[in-house]
Structures are given as structure tokens and as C-alpha cells.
Amino acid sequence: MAKTHVTMTVNGAEVEGLVEPRTLLIHFIRENLQLTGAHIGCETTHCGACTVDIDGMSVKSCTMFAVQANGSAITTIEGIANADGTLSALQEGFRQMHGLQCGFCTPGMIVRAHRLLQENPSPTEEEIRFGIAGNLCRCTGYQNIVKAIQYASAKINGVEFREAAE
Amino acid sequence: MIPGAFNYHCPSTVADAVALLSSLGDEARPLAGGHSLIPMMKLRLATPEHLIDLHGIASLKGIRQEADRLVIGAMTTQHELLASPEVSAAFPILKETALLIADPQVRYRGTLGGNVVNGDPGNDMPALMMTLHASYRLEGPDGVRDVAASDFYQGAYFTALEPGELLTAITIPFTASGHGYAYEKLKRKVGDYATAAAAVMLTMANGKVESCSIGLTNLSDTPLLAEAAADAVIGTGLDDDTLKKASERAQEIMSPAADARGPVEYRKHVGGIMVMRALKRAAARAA
Ligand SMILES: Cc1cc2nc3c(=O)[nH]c(=O)nc-3n(C[C@H](O)[C@H](O)[C@H](O)COP(=O)(O)OP(=O)(O)OC[C@H]3O[C@@H](n4cnc5c(N)ncnc54)[C@H](O)[C@@H]3O)c2cc1C
Ligand code: FES
Ligand code: FES
């Protein structure tokens, strides 16, 4: 099958490659670009571990062909840290609030939460839970992930984070 | 989980897409959001030789008002429906339903057009489109035609879409202001297809139902309009007996498949409950 030439901006850098049309975006990102932060959990559009941000949308990159992303701007977990290399508010939140255990879901969770906070910088707990419904975590029970996102939201808004009483 | 090989085409006009579909024949499929098609291709349940990506066709996007109707381009995503003030104002039920479909990631990609034309009985929008008296604009080598949603579905994955035809837009006539609405969906978990779901649109006058339309999702090979059930509530105040009667009339036309979501009896049972709940909630919202 003839290969197609694709170019895209990934984490701010122009990249290009030759792909078979059937190449899934997650495979292009992990194998061609060697960015292995986005994970393959289920490969069936359920777990969200493969989530990347494409032109301002959270997308499960196991359910998109690389050719469909031609010309787009993509952010993966590798592009989430602050420009000076320090942790972003979300990354810091996951660390401070123990938002991860094994860490497998974390790249997808953070990339998804990043878009959620761009669209809604002060989400309620319910909005956070609804907003990350496409990302499964087998370890944490979600409680600390929610807190991590609340921590980041507070930090972004310049207010002090207070854990809700349990 | 690697799909079969295919050739990729990315036309920029409807005419080019239709020409490609006609010349490539049966082995070509349109690609919209890909969130029904790509999973099928990964399982090799679909093995198209050509995919015609519709993303480059600007005219398939957007939501606009035309006289007494809202026209929604086929490539409008579920996320865009949720963000649209026009949709929220005129058809809050469309928003309520879109929020019950899958999860945020799927809604950013999945399109209204792909959802209604797919023909999967589990899709939520088809029954809603029937309830709203929507019609589909189909464009093919022989020109353009409009087909009512209620005439479109023939069986699981069988629809009135002819080879070579593209769905370009969904047209929904505006409804009376002050209508009541509800989409009730029972699902096993977030992101699941319906075990059973019911859409209700109604108007009330002096505490009595004046007009009513009821649609059913995943309770047969195709979406259903429960006309006898809707007739049963006209002129009533939706007392318990009437709700029970409507539920029974709706159950008479249900023929769900037995699958992981439950045996036939269970799905009909909860289907009836969805109808009652949707009727009650719609009535409470009617002005
Ligand atoms: C995890 C998960 C959960 C989901 N849950 C639900 C749910 O609860 N409810 C629900 O309704 N859906 C659900 N979906 C399906 C989702 O909503 C799909 O996005 C939708 O069914 C199809 O839209 P699409 O744009 O992705 O179409 P595609 O997958 O691109 O296309 C679907 C079919 O329609 C054809 N097609 C698409 N557009 C056109 C057109 N304009 N003209 C002619 N043919 C066309 C394609 O050739 C293909 O055969 C779920 C999907 C996933 C992955
Ligand atoms: S790997 Fe893509 S959703 Fe699980
Ligand atoms: S931390 Fe292990 S899956 Fe989420």
C-alpha cells in the first residue's frame, strides 16, 4: 500500500513521516516519533491511556489514523511541563495529591485534564468526574485524581487549595 | 488490533466525495469521526479498500437556521452540538442526549452525521431524530433528496442510503416553544450504549398533554417511533394508569436482542420504565 507523507506539529516541533494510511496515530507517535508517554491500554477506545490533545481537543489516539492528523497541532504528555522544564500545575497536583499509583493512566489523565481546565478553569467536583469519564484508572479509585485536578485549578486561578472535608 | 490496508482519499468538496464513492464502488466508505468505523476496522469486521475522509469538506460543517428549521451539517461533532447556543436554545433534548453518548474524547470526534447514518441500533441520535421529525439530506450521483428519519432505518446497519450517496445535513423543524422534553437512557456504565432508552417531546395545555412523540433506542433492530404509546397520553394529565398504558403500548413494539446488556424480557421491562420516566420528566418541563 502506498505510503502517505504527513507533517504535524508535536509539542511545538514540526515533525514529518511516511505512514501507511492504516497506521494508527498512537503507533505513529510511539514508534515513529519515539514519544512513548501516551500509552496503549485497551486499544478499543475505552481506557483513554492513549489520549493526546489535537487542535484543542482531547482525542484517543488509538482511534484515529495518523493521516487524519496531517497538518494538525498535537500535545502529548511530553509537552505538558512548563517551558522552563518545571512541572505544570497539573503535574504538580498529581504529585502532591498522590494522583497516581502505577502511573499507567497518568499521561492520558493529565492531557485530558489539561484540556478540561482550558475549557473550564474552575470545574466543580462533578464536572471534573464527568470530564474525565473517558479515562480509566485501575489503581487510585479516582479520589486523588479529582483532588489533583482541583489542586491544579486552584493554582491556575491563584487561590489557595483546600481539600474538602471527607 | 491493526486495521486492514486501505487507500486514503481526502476530497474537499461534496461533488468530489460523491464522484469518488461512485467510481470506487462498494469497497469505498466515507470516514467521518471514525469512532464507529475505526473500531470495526480494528476488529476486521469492516475491511474497506478505500476511505473517503470527509474532514476536508467545509460545507459539511456548521449549524444554521433556515426559515422554520435548524440545519446541522453532517460533520458537526457531538462536542460542537454541546457548545452550540442555537442547539441549546431550540433543542435542549439534543444536548441532553449528546451528553449521554460515550465520553468527552469520543464526543470531540464523533459526528451527528456518522451517528445517524451508521445504522447501529445502539446509536442514540436516530430515535431522537425520529422523535423530532428530522430529515436527512442525501447527495448522490443522481442529485439531492431528503428522506425522513422515520423512513430511513430498515434493519441493523441497513438504511435508505444508496451506494454512492453521502449524508450532507440533518434538518430539524423547530418545535413549539414551551415544549417538554426528556431523553432517558439506562446504561451499565458511563460510555456504554443503551440497555434501553426513550426520547419524549410533548406539549401541554391546561395540565393535559396536547401533542406527544416518543422514540425508542436499542429496543429493536432499528430505532422505533412508539406512536400508539404517544396516542395513549394525548388529552390526559399523565396519571399513573396512563403512564402504565403508554409503557405497555411501547413494549408491544419492542423486540430487543438478548445480549450482554440483558435478556429480552429485562430489556423490554426497563424499556417500559424509560418511557414512563421520560414522559414524567418531559411533562414537568413543559410550560
Ligand atoms: C467507547 C465508545 C462509546 C460509544 N458510545 C456511544 C453511545 O453511547 N451512543 C451512541 O450513539 N454512540 C456511541 N458511540 C459511537 C459514536 O457516537 C460514533 O462517533 C458515532 O456512532 C459515529 O460517528 P462518527 O462520526 O464517528 O462516524 P464514523 O465512524 O466515521 O462512520 C460511521 C459509519 O457511517 C458512515 N458515514 C459517516 N458519515 C457519513 C456521511 N456523511 N454520509 C454517508 N455515510 C457516512 C461511515 O462510512 C461508517 O459506515 C461510541 C463510540 C465509542 C468508541
Ligand atoms: S488505548 Fe486508546 S482508549 Fe485505550
Ligand atoms: S495509577 Fe494505575 S491505572 Fe491509574
Side-chain angles (χ1 to χ4, degrees):
Chain A
M1 202 59 51
K3 290 199 172 180
T4 306
H5 184 245
V6 293
T7 55
M8 47 193 102
T9 309
V10 177
N11 301 329
E14 286 283 322
V15 301
E16 56 175 345
L18 275 179
V19 294
E20 270 192 79
R22 65 170 166 171
T23 305
L24 296 169
L25 181 60
I26 185 68
H27 293 141
F28 179 71
I29 291 173
R30 290 178 56 86
E31 288 159 28
N32 296 50
L33 304 181
Q34 300 275 304
L35 293 171
T36 54
H39 288 157
I40 301 175
C42 64
E43 242 185 332
T44 58
T45 331
H46 287 99
C47 74
C50 62
T51 301
V52 300
D53 198 81
I54 307 181
D55 295 333
M57 296 177 288
S58 308
V59 175
K60 294 179 178 176
S61 60
C62 73
T63 312
M64 184 168 177
F65 296 114
V67 286
Q68 291 177 281
N70 195 14
S72 58
I74 298 181
T75 304
T76 68
I77 187 66
E78 287 90 344
I80 289 286
N82 298 325
D84 63 1
T86 55
L87 296 184
S88 73
L90 265 168
Q91 289 171 313
E92 191 182 304
F94 272 71
R95 178 169 161 173
Q96 294 299 334
M97 294 295 118
H98 304 283
L100 61 146
Q101 289 178 25
C102 79
F104 194 85
C105 69
T106 315
M109 272 303 172
I110 291 185
V111 171
R112 168 61 199 139
H114 169 75
R115 181 53 46 200
L116 174 66
L117 292 182
Q118 298 281 312
E119 290 180 356
N120 179 2
S122 308
T124 62
E125 175 177 346
E126 199 186 337
E127 286 166 344
I128 292 174
R129 289 183 184 274
F130 193 75
I132 60 168
N135 295 73
L136 301 181
C137 176
R138 302 268 76 177
C139 303
T140 63
Y142 302 99
Q143 196 64 28
N144 287 350
I145 293 178
V146 172
K147 281 187 201 161
I149 298 170
Q150 288 171 327
Y151 177 104
S153 162
K155 180 150 188 195
I156 292 166
N157 291 308
V159 300
E160 196 193 335
F161 174 63
R162 277 215 204 87
E163 277 187 50
E166 273 168 21
Chain B
M1 288 307 228
I2 310 279
F6 61 87
N7 287 298
Y8 177 77
H9 309 265
C10 197
S12 53
T13 65
V14 169
D16 287 351
V18 168
L20 278 166
L21 276 176
S22 317
S23 66
L24 298 170
D26 276 357
E27 295 309 326
R29 292 271 284 269
L31 173 66
H35 274 56
S36 287
L37 185 53
I38 297 175
M40 298 277 273
M41 289 176 65
K42 287 191 197 172
L43 297 169
R44 307 270 175 139
L45 291 172
T47 51
E49 285 172 17
H50 299 272
L51 284 188
I52 322 270
D53 190 349
L54 306 180
H55 267 99
I57 307 177
S59 65
L60 295 180
K61 278 269 188 196
I63 301 172
R64 58 185 189 277
Q65 194 173 328
E66 264 178 26
D68 56 348
R69 304 167 298 178
L70 194 68
V71 180
I72 305 177
M75 288 297 287
T76 304
T77 63
Q78 285 146 15
H79 181 80
E80 287 162 347
L81 288 178
L82 291 172
S84 157
E86 290 94 336
V87 168
S88 299
F91 299 108
I93 193 170
L94 203 49
K95 193 170 168 184
E96 181 162 293
T97 306
L99 281 172
L100 291 169
I101 292 180
D103 58 48
Q105 284 94 321
V106 175
R107 292 192 292 267
Y108 279 113
R109 294 290 299 167
T111 64
L112 178 61
N115 197 295
V116 301
V117 89
N118 191 29
D120 181 339
N123 280 135
D124 288 293
M125 289 297 181
L128 175 59
M129 291 304 125
M130 287 168 59
T131 309
L132 290 171
H133 310 293
S135 63
Y136 302 153
R137 176 145 301 181
L138 309 178
E139 212 162 318
D142 303 326
V144 180
R145 62 189 183 118
D146 284 297
V147 176
S150 51
D151 295 331
F152 187 73
Y153 301 96
Q154 301 168 343
Y157 298 102
F158 282 95
T159 67
L161 189 79
E162 294 289 342
E165 274 184 328
L166 210 60
L167 169 73
T168 57
I170 295 98
T171 300
I172 315 177
F174 286 120
T175 39
S177 62
H179 69 262
Y181 66 91
Y183 191 73
E184 278 288 341
K185 174 174 174 178
L186 180 72
K187 50 190 168 125
R188 296 171 302 179
K189 61 171 197 55
V190 171
D192 195 19
Y193 290 92
T195 301
V200 166
M201 291 285 290
L202 51 69
T203 55
M204 308 275 290
N206 306 318
K208 306 264 188 245
V209 179
E210 214 177 27
S211 69
C212 177
S213 147
I214 304 175
L216 305 173
T217 296
N218 222 6
L219 288 163
S220 176
D221 264 7
T222 64
L224 297 171
L225 263 189
E227 285 163 322
D231 288 345
V233 304
I234 304 288
T236 75
L238 288 173
D239 53 280
D240 288 349
D241 283 347
T242 305
L243 288 171
K244 192 155 170 286
K245 191 157 139 201
S247 150
E248 285 165 1
R249 293 227 177 137
Q251 283 169 328
E252 282 163 16
I253 61 166
M254 296 175 191
S255 54
D259 62 16
R261 292 185 182 81
V264 171
E265 281 311 304
Y266 170 73
R267 294 183 68 180
K268 285 173 82 161
H269 175 71
V270 292
I273 294 174
M274 292 306 108
V275 169
M276 292 196 277
R277 284 188 190 165
L279 280 168
K280 272 204 250 185
R281 213 150 53 77
R285 277 168 165 167

